[in-house]
Amino acid sequence: MLTSLFGDLGPLNEPPGRGRRKGADTPPADFAATAILESTATEVNDRGQMVDKHTRDLSVVGSPAEAIRQHLAETRADLEGPTAPAVAQEEHRASDAAAAPAPRKVDAPLGGLDGGRLYRALSQLMQLEGILGCCAVDASTGLVLQAERAADAPDLPLELAAATHTEVLRAHRRLAGPMGTADRVEEIIVSQGPRHQVLRTLSDRPEVFLLAVLDKQRTNLALARFKIMEAEKSLG
């Protein structure tokens, strides 16, 4: 007995649905599809020639999907590879890729510093008593590379402080020549109102500096300067 898309194929005088008996020892039959598709149609092609189209017989045993795949494999060879529009599209993409300019090299983030080491250094500074916030700053642009703020100072304007101290550092560097000191500016301390602001440049990367904002009443300034120096050395 064969099973087709239209049901069981049994004897003509056997009622439908009785082709497979319960308790039969024989294994269930696989799907089988047999069709005789033979026809001839005469058409005129683009060149004005008469063409007879003949549909070949199809006989497939297996799943319905396999039957369709085999039929397409035998009758539609153009489906085996990419179609002409797809090939043209790929060629167009390849030409666009070849014509596109090479991507511009982007400078390394964090001023060339390792992100993990920088995070650890700032996190250790935040353990200081009375510290409100700290950050690493790119002295060439005044942009903050990474920042940490205390829980009681979430709105501390570190970006504004970084830009301001960048100008202060530039002014001290311009003054170094006339003052006869060619050494790098190591540290700048600004005390204003209830706060200290400590700037310390990195010895290995003079275009990067650390900035810490401290509460005067709660911070030991000498200890804070020592911890900031340690953080600077850990990034060297």
Side-chain angles (χ1 to χ4, degrees):
M1 181 198 67
L2 298 178
T3 302
S4 72
L5 289 172
F6 305 99
D8 295 343
L9 301 180
L12 294 178
N13 57 357
E14 185 178 355
R18 296 183 56 188
R20 182 177 300 174
R21 300 174 183 176
K22 295 182 179 179
D25 296 334
T26 58
D30 293 332
F31 169 86
T34 302
I36 299 177
L37 304 174
E38 185 173 3
S39 62
T40 302
T42 303
E43 297 180 359
V44 180
N45 62 14
D46 296 338
R47 299 180 181 179
Q49 301 172 342
M50 301 295 291
V51 177
D52 292 337
K53 290 191 174 181
H54 175 71
T55 305
R56 293 181 296 174
D57 297 344
L58 169 66
S59 178
V60 178
V61 176
S63 68
E66 182 64 24
I68 295 173
R69 285 195 294 268
Q70 290 189 17
H71 176 62
L72 292 178
E74 295 177 359
T75 59
R76 295 293 304 277
D78 59 315
L79 296 179
E80 294 180 358
T83 59
V87 173
Q89 187 176 9
E90 291 298 328
E91 292 177 352
H92 180 67
R93 290 177 181 175
S95 62
D96 288 347
R104 184 174 60 89
K105 183 179 179 181
V106 180
D107 294 334
L110 302 179
L113 296 172
D114 179 79
R117 293 173 61 187
L118 180 57
Y119 173 77
R120 288 191 295 271
L122 296 182
S123 297
Q124 290 176 359
L125 281 181
M126 292 303 298
Q127 303 302 317
L128 277 170
E129 177 68 24
I131 188 168
L132 302 177
C134 59
C135 60
V137 184
D138 185 345
S140 62
T141 62
L143 298 178
V144 174
L145 302 176
Q146 193 162 325
E148 296 288 336
R149 292 175 174 84
D152 57 348
D155 299 326
L156 185 67
L158 286 176
E159 290 77 11
L160 180 59
T164 302
H165 281 277
T166 298
E167 295 300 324
V168 173
L169 178 60
R170 289 174 181 173
H172 278 278
R173 286 175 173 174
R174 287 194 299 267
L175 184 62
M179 294 293 292
T181 56
D183 297 332
R184 73 179 180 94
V185 178
E186 298 179 1
E187 187 180 61
I188 299 174
I189 300 176
V190 177
S191 296
Q192 183 179 12
R195 295 176 180 175
H196 293 303
Q197 299 178 45
V198 182
L199 177 156
R200 186 171 187 87
T201 60
L202 272 61
S203 57
D204 291 344
R205 295 177 177 84
E207 290 307 315
V208 177
F209 65 84
L210 298 177
L211 177 64
V213 181
L214 311 168
D215 186 336
K216 275 185 180 181
Q217 302 299 325
R218 298 186 293 134
T219 302
N220 182 328
L221 182 58
L223 177 61
R225 292 179 59 196
F226 178 75
K227 291 296 184 181
I228 295 171
M229 182 179 63
E230 281 189 337
E232 178 257 322
K233 290 181 178 179
S234 70
L235 296 173

